[in-house]
Amino acid sequence: MPGPTPTLKPYQHAKAGDKPVRFDLAKVSPQAKPYSSGDKAADKAAVEALAQELDELQNLFYADRRFKLLVVLQGTDTSGKDGTLRGVFGQMSALGVHTVAWKAPTEAERARDYLWRIHQHVPAAGEVTVFNRSHYEDVLVPAVNKWITPAQVKQRYAHINDFERMLTETGTVVVKFMLHISKEEQRKRLQERIDDPTKRWKFSAGDLEVRKQWKQYQQAYADAISATGTHWAPWHVVPADSKTHRNLMIATVMKQVFQSLKLRYPPGDPALKNLKVV
């Protein structure tokens, strides 16, 4: 089954050193489905097929060992980060795939620079590491709550650009996804968590307090994408009101990323050519 044709491009600057162009998140509809075939059942089947392909590609990636892959999943509460992990990355072998879920920094982490804890969890050669939230939380949350000044926000994004460039220059492929949902869709998903006893554990009263800052977070995300959408680590803004489309788009992009690396199995030991196991 041929996959859908993508129509969105990642947000990035033309080249290093260019003045950033302002990104307007409001112009991306969370309800859009640019990667959809128009048939939900077909899209679900495509996601399942892509997940199997990604498993095979990840196995080749692990054998190749020339690269490291860091996937960043960012988004508001209920945007679907956990669902993406299950639907897109769930078929991959745990041998070479790791997930890190980032929470508020501990006292020990706050005593150091904010990227210290991040750097310890970047992938090794042949590994895929998926960040559920990421180093961007250390700018988004303080910026919205005004714990740091606008000058410090700008400084931190410059740090992150340098950090991600260093990673890419030393063999890490950085792929960043912003899962973009509407305020109404978030309301529905939060209500589902409250109403369903099996999902209630996911709900926190703090989610409602953060929801009151919706406009501020939307602007903060637009600022983050504008400041850090570089050619070495571009952002993919994913319309995510549809869970199926979200997974389809991310899986399609991940397949393209793997294929762009021209992966290969390492050469075998010539001594094994005629070896017979008895």
Side-chain angles (χ1 to χ4, degrees), residues 18-69:
D18 280 2
K19 183 178 180 180
V21 177
R22 292 297 306 161
F23 178 77
D24 189 352
L25 186 60
K27 290 184 177 180
V28 180
S29 171
Q31 294 88 22
K33 300 179 182 179
Y35 282 61
S36 175
S37 66
D39 183 321
K40 186 173 182 179
D43 287 351
K44 285 187 173 182
V47 171
E48 293 176 4
L50 281 165
Q52 293 293 334
E53 287 186 77
L54 290 176
D55 178 42
E56 296 173 5
L57 287 166
Q58 182 267 324
N59 184 63
L60 177 56
F61 182 87
Y62 185 78
D64 188 308
R65 298 295 178 100
R66 287 180 298 148
F67 305 100
K68 314 143 193 175
L69 178 57

Side-chain angles (χ1 to χ4, degrees), residues 84 88-89 177 179 238 246-254:
T84 298
V88 177
F89 300 92
F177 296 101
L179 311 187
V238 182
R246 175 200 70 211
N247 289 350
L248 180 60
M249 180 173 175
I250 294 174
T252 301
V253 171
M254 289 306 306

Side-chain angles (χ1 to χ4, degrees), residues 9 12 25 66 69 85-86 101 106 110 118 123 135 147 159 165 169 185 194 205-206 218 240 270:
K9 295 181 180 179
Q12 60 189 75
L25 186 60
R66 287 180 298 148
L69 178 57
L85 288 168
R86 290 191 298 270
T106 65
R110 280 197 291 268
I118 306 297
H135 38 299
W147 298 337
H159 293 159
R165 185 175 67 246
E169 289 177 352
E185 182 64 21
I194 294 170
Q218 293 297 293

Side-chain angles (χ1 to χ4, degrees), residues 151-180:
Q152 288 173 313
V153 171
K154 183 177 180 180
Q155 183 184 59
R156 287 195 178 192
Y157 283 140
H159 293 159
I160 286 174
N161 283 339
D162 289 340
F163 174 64
E164 292 177 347
R165 185 175 67 246
M166 181 274 294
L167 291 178
T168 61
E169 289 177 352
T170 53
T172 301
V173 179
V174 180
V175 187
K176 302 183 295 194
F177 296 101
M178 189 271 173
L179 311 187
H180 183 39

